[in-house]
């Protein structure tokens, strides 16, 4: 009898740095346990800033406004991310003009990628475009390039951005997770029963995964 896979839902946003760190640590835990074939990952949409206008907002300005952080705190927080990224082979390249942008379209495309088992590849492509390559992931050309990079049909994918049904689907998903009380990301949900929030250490993920796989 084939053992059922452990289903992991990752509720996250494309421009959320700790979501990337959290996923990379989870990925490392899975790989160190050698259980890649026993896991199924699905990405779920969450917008940190659903009201973000098209032109976006300077990152530093945005963080100060939203969380009241000082310049020194922001500098320290960025350094923590850069270090965490380095440990996991991911580059966080913060720069002065970096902007927080609207990510709704990116979520529509991630929903599309799910059908082709390319969700994680596309998610990581978006994240790298934004954090490592200084690209604006709300721009159509950047989104289109990401689809091409992971081998998806760019025409078909991009056409969904004008599709009311596809947009409604993402809003519905967002509402579903919000109603369950998910209000910070990353939230990593195991078999839709238990969850951890935040970019937890690799060892914690290994412990949780080992227990769930053993059940």
């Amino acid at each position: 009898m084939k053992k059922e896979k452990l289903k992991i839902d990752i509720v996250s946003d494309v421009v959320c740095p700790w979501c990337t760190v959290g996923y990379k640590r989870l990925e490392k835990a899975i790989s160190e346990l050698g259980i890649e074939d026993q896991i199924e990952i699905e990405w779920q949409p969450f917008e940190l800033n659903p009201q973000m206008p098209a032109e976006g907002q300077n990152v530093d300005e945005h963080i100060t406004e939203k969380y009241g952080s000082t310049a020194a705190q922001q500098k320290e927080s960025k350094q923590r991310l850069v270090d965490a990224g380095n440990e996991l082979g991911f580059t966080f390249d913060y720069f002065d003009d970096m902007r927080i942008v609207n990510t709704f379209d990116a979520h529509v495309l991630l929903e599309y990628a799910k059908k082709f088992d390319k969700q994680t590849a596309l998610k990581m492509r978006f994240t790298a475009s934004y954090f490592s390559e200084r690209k604006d992931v709300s721009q159509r050309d950047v989104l289109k390039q990401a689809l091409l990079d992971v081998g998806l049909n760019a025409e078909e994918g991009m056409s969904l951005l004008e599709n009311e049904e596809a947009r409604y689907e993402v809003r519905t998903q967002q509402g579903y997770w919000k109603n369950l009380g998910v209000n910070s990301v990353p939230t990593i949900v195991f078999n839709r029963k238990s969850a951890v929030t935040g970019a937890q250490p690799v060892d914690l993920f290994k412990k949780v995964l080992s227990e769930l796989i053993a059940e």
Side-chain angles (χ1 to χ4, degrees):
M1 182 180 140
K2 193 162 166 284
K3 198 167 174 222
E4 281 212 359
K5 288 192 176 189
L6 169 60
K7 172 77 189 290
I8 303 179
D9 289 289
I10 307 176
V11 188
S12 92
D13 198 358
V14 175
V15 294
C16 154
W18 288 110
C19 294
T20 302
V21 172
Y23 168 69
K24 288 282 188 189
R25 286 180 182 165
L26 174 69
E27 182 185 47
K28 194 169 184 210
I30 291 168
S31 139
E32 285 180 10
L33 292 170
I35 53 172
E36 290 91 339
D37 57 343
Q38 298 176 53
I39 304 285
E40 182 194 334
I41 288 177
E42 194 174 308
W43 294 87
Q44 303 296 352
F46 185 98
E47 285 177 276
L48 287 165
N49 310 288
Q51 308 312 322
M52 188 55 68
E55 69 278 8
Q57 185 184 17
N58 178 280
V59 166
D60 294 343
E61 198 179 284
H62 176 73
I63 302 280
T64 303
E65 216 170 88
K66 193 168 178 180
Y67 305 105
S69 334
T70 64
Q73 285 169 328
Q74 287 209 42
K75 195 175 170 193
E76 191 188 325
S77 147
K78 284 178 191 167
Q79 194 51 54
R80 277 212 313 275
L81 280 160
V82 169
D83 295 343
N86 286 341
E87 268 172 48
L88 298 156
F90 185 86
T91 305
F92 284 104
D93 172 20
Y94 282 100
F95 58 102
D96 290 345
D97 285 341
M98 191 169 189
R99 300 182 84 70
I100 287 274
V101 296
N102 190 294
T103 53
F104 191 82
D105 285 352
H107 287 298
V108 172
L109 296 177
L110 284 167
E111 195 59 36
Y112 166 69
K114 191 192 296 179
K115 297 199 284 273
F116 305 95
D117 228 9
K118 295 251 185 188
Q119 235 192 345
T120 296
L122 186 62
K123 173 79 180 189
M124 288 297 106
R125 192 69 211 95
F126 284 153
T127 308
S129 300
Y130 181 70
F131 285 112
S132 317
E133 299 163 13
R134 302 190 173 193
K135 291 182 180 151
D136 176 346
V137 288
S138 68
Q139 296 292 330
R140 297 279 164 111
D141 55 338
V142 173
L143 294 170
K144 185 174 181 180
Q145 189 56 51
L147 289 172
L148 293 169
D149 289 344
V150 300
L152 283 165
N153 180 329
E155 301 278 298
E156 187 177 48
M158 293 306 284
S159 73
L160 291 174
L161 298 182
E162 311 300 335
N163 179 315
E164 266 319 303
E165 209 172 299
R167 298 179 80 80
Y168 179 73
E169 172 63 27
V170 171
R171 286 200 185 91
T172 307
Q173 293 281 4
Q174 285 176 326
Y176 173 82
W177 294 100
K178 271 218 164 79
N179 289 342
L180 283 181
V182 173
N183 53 20
S184 72
V185 288
T187 293
I188 297 171
V189 184
F190 302 95
N191 281 338
R192 301 224 166 167
K193 287 192 193 111
S194 58
V196 300
T197 56
Q200 299 294 337
V202 174
D203 287 348
L204 181 120
F205 281 132
K206 282 171 88 165
K207 184 174 175 292
V208 172
L209 290 165
S210 303
E211 285 168 6
L212 290 165
I213 291 281
E215 275 177 10

